[in-house]
Amino acid sequence: MKSRCSYLILSVIVSCLLAAIVPPKLAKIQRPRDTWAIRSVLDKKPRMLTLALDSACYVAYDLAQCTLYKVWKGGVSLDGAPYTDQKTIQPTSWGTAYVPDSLLTYQWVAESGGKNVLTSITNKGYAFRNNQIYLKYRLTTSLGDTITVEERPEFIRSNTGKPGLERVFTLADAPTNVTVLLKSRQGTIPLSASKVTQSVTYFQNLPPQRLPLIEEKFAHRGQYLIEKSDCSTCHEIDEPMVGPSFRQIAARYGKEKDVVSRLIRKVREGGTGVWGSSVMNPHPALAENDVRIIIDYIFTLKPKGSVDVASVTQKQTETTRAKPGYGAEVEGVHPSYELTTLHRPDFQPRVGGLAFLPDGRLLVTTWDTVGGVYVLDRLTTGNPRDVRIKRIASGLAEPLGITVVNGQIYVLQKHELTRLVDRDGDDVIDDYQAVCNTWGVSADFHEFAFGLVYKDAYFYITLSMAMRLKPGELQQLDRGRTIKIGMDGRYEWVNYGLRTPNGIGLGPDRAIFVTDNQGQWLPGNKLIHIKPGEYHGMGWGLLNSNASPPMAQPAIWLPENEIANSPSEPILMQDGPYKGQLLHGDVTHGGIKRDFLEKVAGEYQGAVFRFSQGFEAGVNRLCWGPDGALYVGEVGMAGGGWSWREKRFGLQRLKYNGKTTFEMLAIRAKHRGFELEFTEPLSESQSLQPADFFVQQWWYKPTPNYGGPKMDLKRMNVTRLNMSKDRTWVSVEIPGLETKHVFYIRLPDHLKSAGGQSLWSSEAWYTLNNIPPNVTTPANE
């Protein structure tokens, strides 16, 4: 065995280590990809960096270990949610490795006095110079030393045409009594403290490589078709999610011909009502025979025992009106704002983050294959063709947050908070500096990092839970939390028990608010006021499942399918009568919602209102510009998962036009009911009676199921009504108010203002965490 391994090494690799040699001048470098340095999960490993050095040579680095992971001929399949709109999967390498994986087991060593004194090694980012990349590592020793290593990999060929990898190392700040070594089964590379160290490895030529068909990985073609489609967006094999599990479907139906025909029709046409109120998106692009194969695979999952089919079947508790703003989403743009479209055919961003530079230019990050950062200038001309767009960074791993601090750009990637530096002033980022990359991660597709808020010298981000862990595998300790990061990269936990907190922002009194998405243990969507140590209900992250703490109440519950599906970034309003309130977007329900908050017994609570629709896609990010306009970044996935009406991209601007829109401005809790304030006085010609109000009350109980029913749902009666003299507010008395309950309040659709306007939206959802003390006379009467 030993001789065979030695022969393999000698036949595949011809290696030479040349210390203190200046690297030879290279010919003009041509990369096989525009974005040739790519951060992502790769081959089920997180924190990877893939470099497409040449069409004959890809290399990948494990940045968590600061070591070379793989050298191969082939390429990378960028599969997954931001790349191909497919959940559950992640990028993988394909082709043939030049070196067997078992031989690429590198270990960093810092020796002093014959002992290894290395205590840690950390990736500090990388820089680009002359179209080459320089990786940076920081080594610390038990002697108190901090040593910097810079590595520059490059593809070369020998005089005989053999492909090769050149690695050039530069060492800095190494004391004379410490020797830095990079060891592997191929040998040891001693790094010189005074000169560059060059390592050159040549390989045998490999034949052209073929991208494997994904279909070959699956035992049943139906599995492949499910993976290729958006089925996993709403269904899992064993557990109910948005829709029933595949096993529940198999258990419910027999494989009779008429049943299969009905299921094929249901998949292709969509619908609702069979498994509850959730809507199944139509799939007209799926061929009938492909749907038949999918259903055939699902029936192979039919369990032998019983399955709780009813666990995902919920009765529709009420029938709401279809009129927009009266039980249905509002249509069009809010009348008090003008909408301008900034995207165009040559710039269709799936927006992950928005921020403004001090000079007024807009930064946009994109959740896509490019993983880019763009800078936009000349935004206010009104014509998207006048906007100047330049890509300044690329290859980032799902950048879902960006901010500017003291003129410096910080971007949040899936696995890292990164500072972007332009060293030569050409508006292209040269230096990608790692600020923090040590929070817990796995290879799960759902481990997003959302943000980015900067407050009082700290960054705040949120980390979502993993969704596809293996049996017995636990969540990483940092998942489902808001974390606070210092400029030195150290971080601490703030809260825990979050699921998919795709939105963090500053609200009243500069308090931090987060939105979270309904799911297992979360019976509804939420707007949460962040407070240290609070638990928010998602039980997957608990270390001891037998000791679940009480769930902190959100500031506002956002009921699923009524006012929310995938709530996103909250932002404080800066103009009009709504100044001081919050807005937040929604990727799946679509549009922007408005949140009125008040403090009762020292805790935030309040109401959520429909605000505006009319955008190109689901609203993901919101940012105020120096021109006083609200910039709206939009995103989506094809196939219905995490998207509004199948739309995938958009960048637009809302500008307040000074017009008043007749609607509820605020709802305030009172000791025996609520006070409703309007943006305009009610018409003198109209009366408003207690019977005109439709009010419901319920509470939410967290369970292991996806979402949850409304507990103790009941109709509430308005028994008394009092209107202010100026007819701008009305107070209603409602017996039986209960704390920690949600109240749905709907006004009659015939109401008009003194100026003759109809209501823009008649409904609101108020979360009553605390009941105010008794006050005999309203404050503004």
Side-chain angles (χ1 to χ4, degrees):
M1 179 64 70
K2 182 176 180 180
S3 61
R4 182 180 178 185
C5 184
S6 299
Y7 174 78
L8 178 62
I9 295 172
L10 291 172
S11 63
V12 177
I13 306 166
V14 179
S15 179
C16 59
L17 305 178
L18 306 173
I21 295 179
V22 177
K25 185 176 180 180
L26 298 169
K28 184 179 179 180
I29 300 167
Q30 293 185 336
R31 307 299 185 197
R33 299 174 56 99
D34 174 36
T35 303
W36 60 270
I38 306 166
R39 295 292 301 274
S40 72
V41 169
L42 183 71
D43 299 344
K44 300 183 179 179
K45 293 180 177 292
R47 291 200 171 106
M48 302 295 285
L49 171 65
T50 300
L51 305 176
L53 297 179
D54 188 87
S55 58
C57 184
Y58 277 64
V59 301
Y61 283 82
D62 183 343
L63 295 185
Q65 306 298 323
C66 301
T67 56
L68 183 64
Y69 158 68
K70 189 171 186 177
V71 185
W72 76 101
K73 183 176 182 179
V76 175
S77 295
L78 287 176
D79 294 316
Y83 314 110
T84 54
D85 297 331
Q86 297 171 278
K87 292 185 177 182
T88 76
I89 58 177
Q90 293 275 34
T92 55
S93 61
W94 60 268
T96 303
Y98 284 113
V99 184
D101 292 346
S102 61
L103 300 182
L104 287 181
T105 52
Y106 289 97
Q107 179 186 12
W108 285 98
V109 175
E111 289 186 348
S112 181
K115 295 181 179 180
N116 185 8
V117 296
L118 183 66
T119 57
S120 68
I121 181 165
T122 308
N123 163 53
K124 298 305 294 178
Y126 48 84
F128 292 94
R129 297 194 291 272
N130 300 321
N131 201 28
Q132 292 182 296
I133 192 168
Y134 293 77
L135 285 68
K136 302 175 183 180
Y137 316 131
R138 183 176 65 191
L139 288 66
T140 57
T141 73
S142 58
L143 304 176
D145 304 308
T146 300
I147 304 169
T148 301
V149 175
E150 187 177 78
E151 176 181 355
R152 193 269 291 153
E154 190 55 84
F155 173 75
I156 59 175
R157 284 193 182 274
S158 70
N159 293 333
T160 59
K162 286 185 177 181
L165 177 64
E166 176 191 58
R167 304 172 70 185
V168 174
F169 299 90
T170 304
L171 199 61
D173 304 320
T176 57
N177 64 327
V178 175
T179 302
V180 178
L181 309 168
L182 182 58
K183 293 184 175 182
S184 73
R185 291 182 61 183
Q186 299 171 237
T188 297
I189 305 175
L191 273 60
S192 171
S194 58
K195 300 178 182 179
V196 299
T197 302
Q198 180 192 37
S199 169
V200 178
T201 305
Y202 291 111
F203 316 106
Q204 296 291 348
N205 279 299
L206 293 173
Q209 302 296 299
R210 179 180 70 89
L211 177 65
L213 297 175
I214 300 177
E215 201 169 346
E216 296 173 355
K217 302 178 183 179
F218 300 95
H220 193 293
R221 190 166 188 269
Q223 291 175 277
Y224 160 71
L225 292 170
I226 286 174
E227 197 76 36
K228 185 180 176 183
S229 71
D230 72 319
C231 298
S232 296
T233 298
C234 301
H235 305 278
E236 293 188 18
I237 290 179
D238 296 302
E239 297 294 331
M241 205 169 62
V242 177
S245 71
F246 290 134
R247 290 197 194 279
Q248 286 176 314
I249 296 171
R252 180 167 184 165
Y253 299 103
K255 201 177 177 182
E256 295 82 9
K257 185 177 180 180
D258 63 322
V259 172
V260 173
S261 298
R262 282 192 287 114
L263 290 176
I264 291 173
R265 186 167 60 253
K266 184 64 177 291
V267 171
R268 300 191 74 218
E269 296 178 1
T272 187
V274 178
W275 295 89
S277 60
S278 295
V279 176
M280 180 176 181
N281 295 292
H283 299 79
L286 274 177
E288 181 175 327
N289 192 55
D290 286 347
V291 179
R292 189 183 305 277
I293 293 170
I294 289 173
I295 292 170
D296 182 72
Y297 164 68
I298 291 173
F299 279 127
T300 68
L301 303 173
K302 195 175 187 70
K304 295 180 181 179
S306 62
V307 172
D308 183 12
V309 174
S311 66
V312 294
T313 305
Q314 300 175 11
K315 293 182 180 180
Q316 191 77 359
T317 56
E318 63 173 291
T319 301
T320 57
R321 304 181 187 185
K323 183 177 178 180
Y326 301 84
E329 63 187 29
V330 296
E331 291 182 348
V333 180
H334 192 282
S336 296
Y337 291 81
E338 304 296 332
L339 183 67
T340 303
T341 296
L342 300 174
H343 61 265
R344 59 198 195 198
D346 63 339
F347 181 60
Q348 300 183 345
R350 299 167 75 180
V351 178
L354 297 173
F356 276 88
L357 289 165
D359 61 10
R361 293 180 298 163
L362 175 63
L363 296 168
V364 180
T365 69
T366 57
W367 190 69
D368 56 14
T369 304
V370 174
V373 180
Y374 298 80
V375 62
L376 279 63
D377 199 4
R378 299 184 64 187
L379 296 167
T380 59
T381 66
N383 185 349
R385 283 291 176 190
D386 294 336
V387 177
R388 293 185 297 200
I389 303 168
K390 183 175 183 178
R391 192 176 80 192
I392 64 172
S394 63
L396 300 172
E398 303 186 41
L400 290 173
I402 190 169
T403 192
V404 179
V405 179
N406 298 325
Q408 292 197 320
I409 303 170
Y410 294 83
V411 64
L412 181 65
Q413 303 188 63
K414 190 179 186 76
H415 300 143
E416 181 180 290
L417 174 59
T418 311
R419 181 188 297 111
L420 303 181
V421 180
D422 169 23
R423 295 212 174 274
D424 56 12
D426 64 352
D427 268 342
V428 175
I429 299 303
D430 310 295
D431 207 348
Y432 295 64
Q433 300 175 357
V435 176
C436 181
N437 54 13
T438 53
W439 62 77
V441 297
S442 73
D444 189 90
F445 85 97
H446 198 270
E447 283 190 350
F448 304 106
F450 300 114
L452 184 66
V453 164
Y454 184 76
K455 176 186 175 183
D456 300 333
Y458 288 93
F459 297 97
Y460 291 83
I461 70 172
T462 55
L463 303 175
S464 66
M465 293 275 190
M467 289 289 133
R468 299 293 190 275
L469 295 178
K470 298 176 182 177
E473 188 178 0
L474 298 177
Q475 295 280 345
Q476 297 285 325
L477 291 179
D478 298 319
R479 307 315 305 185
R481 297 181 183 269
T482 305
I483 65 173
K484 174 181 176 181
I485 306 172
M487 281 290 185
D488 59 1
R490 287 183 285 189
Y491 69 91
E492 59 186 78
W493 296 340
V494 180
N495 59 2
Y496 64 117
L498 301 171
R499 182 183 183 271
T500 315
N502 179 26
I504 181 169
L506 296 177
D509 304 318
R510 287 180 53 79
I512 300 176
F513 287 84
V514 165
T515 60
D516 203 1
N517 286 205
Q518 171 177 292
Q520 292 83 355
W521 293 106
L522 297 184
N525 306 278
K526 301 177 180 181
L527 175 70
I528 299 167
H529 172 218
I530 294 300
K531 290 187 287 185
E534 284 195 336
Y535 170 65
H536 296 287
M538 182 50 159
W540 290 1
L542 294 176
L543 299 180
N544 184 354
S545 59
N546 296 321
S548 178
M551 182 192 72
Q553 291 296 307
I556 302 178
W557 282 103
L558 309 171
E560 178 83 354
N561 295 326
E562 297 175 39
I563 191 64
N565 289 104
S566 306
S568 56
E569 182 172 24
I571 192 170
L572 192 67
M573 296 202 73
Q574 297 183 357
D575 54 23
Y578 318 101
K579 186 175 181 179
Q581 298 189 21
L582 286 179
L583 296 177
H584 74 264
D586 196 293
V587 173
T588 306
H589 196 260
I592 296 176
K593 324 302 177 184
R594 177 168 56 87
D595 308 299
F596 168 78
L597 291 166
E598 60 177 341
K599 271 191 173 180
V600 179
E603 302 290 333
Y604 283 108
Q605 61 185 45
V608 57
F609 306 90
R610 302 187 190 278
F611 187 69
S612 184
Q613 196 45 274
F615 303 100
E616 182 69 23
V619 175
N620 193 37
R621 296 291 177 257
L622 301 170
C623 183
W624 290 105
D627 57 350
L630 181 66
Y631 287 77
V632 183
E634 299 149 32
V635 77
M637 290 173 55
W642 295 340
S643 66
W644 178 73
R645 297 184 178 178
E646 306 289 317
K647 302 298 182 66
R648 304 177 69 231
F649 64 87
L651 179 63
Q652 297 176 285
R653 180 181 66 226
L654 274 181
K655 181 72 172 178
Y656 182 58
N657 58 25
K659 297 178 183 177
T660 300
T661 299
F662 179 46
E663 60 185 324
M664 285 181 279
L665 176 62
I667 296 180
R668 297 176 179 88
K670 298 299 176 183
H671 186 65
R672 294 187 178 90
F674 297 96
E675 178 186 285
L676 284 66
E677 182 181 0
F678 298 93
T679 56
E680 280 192 328
L682 292 171
S683 171
E684 294 278 358
S685 64
Q686 288 188 315
S687 64
L688 189 60
Q689 304 298 323
D692 291 332
F693 289 81
F694 180 82
V695 181
Q696 289 182 320
Q697 172 184 266
W698 69 90
W699 63 282
Y700 282 120
K701 179 181 179 180
T703 71
N705 296 328
Y706 186 98
K710 297 175 178 178
M711 307 297 292
D712 300 325
L713 174 68
K714 58 184 177 181
R715 176 81 180 264
M716 307 294 287
N717 295 317
V718 174
T719 58
R720 183 182 176 189
L721 182 150
N722 182 37
M723 189 173 292
S724 66
K725 294 179 180 179
D726 63 2
R727 300 182 69 82
T728 59
W729 63 261
V730 60
S731 64
V732 294
E733 190 169 303
I734 304 174
L737 296 182
E738 295 187 65
T739 60
K740 299 182 181 179
H741 279 60
V742 181
F743 287 81
Y744 173 68
I745 302 171
R746 190 168 72 220
L747 299 174
D749 59 6
H750 67 262
L751 287 186
K752 290 188 180 294
S753 71
Q757 290 193 71
S758 298
L759 278 171
W760 174 242
S761 177
S762 72
E763 56 193 340
W765 294 258
Y766 189 99
T767 299
L768 187 69
N769 291 326
N770 294 295
I771 296 176
N774 191 16
V775 177
T776 56
T777 304
N780 63 345
E781 186 173 37

